[in-house]
Amino acid sequence: MEKGLVSVITPTYNCAKFIGETIESVQAQTYQQWEMIIVDDCSTDNTKEIVDKYITINEQVRDFA
């Protein structure tokens, strides 16, 4: 049976304290056919900077603006 792509959609707002751990949890899964789309609702903390760091090192992580 062929397995398909799993999309993990993660909404966030001012979650700089937790977003790195959230992304790393998805990356640690054994199933490799995934993409993670992070939807930031105009955070005023440094959530975007943290997400951008992960985007540059893993093409499976994307943001939606």
Side-chain angles (χ1 to χ4, degrees), residues 10-24 38-54:
T10 307
T12 185
Y13 176 74
N14 288 345
C15 291
K17 184 176 179 181
F18 305 106
I19 196 67
E21 182 179 350
T22 302
I23 296 168
E24 289 174 15
I38 301 171
V39 182
D40 183 16
D41 191 16
C42 300
S43 293
T44 57
D45 63 1
N46 66 328
T47 298
K48 179 166 177 37
E49 290 82 6
I50 295 169
V51 170
D52 287 346
K53 179 185 86 167
Y54 283 95

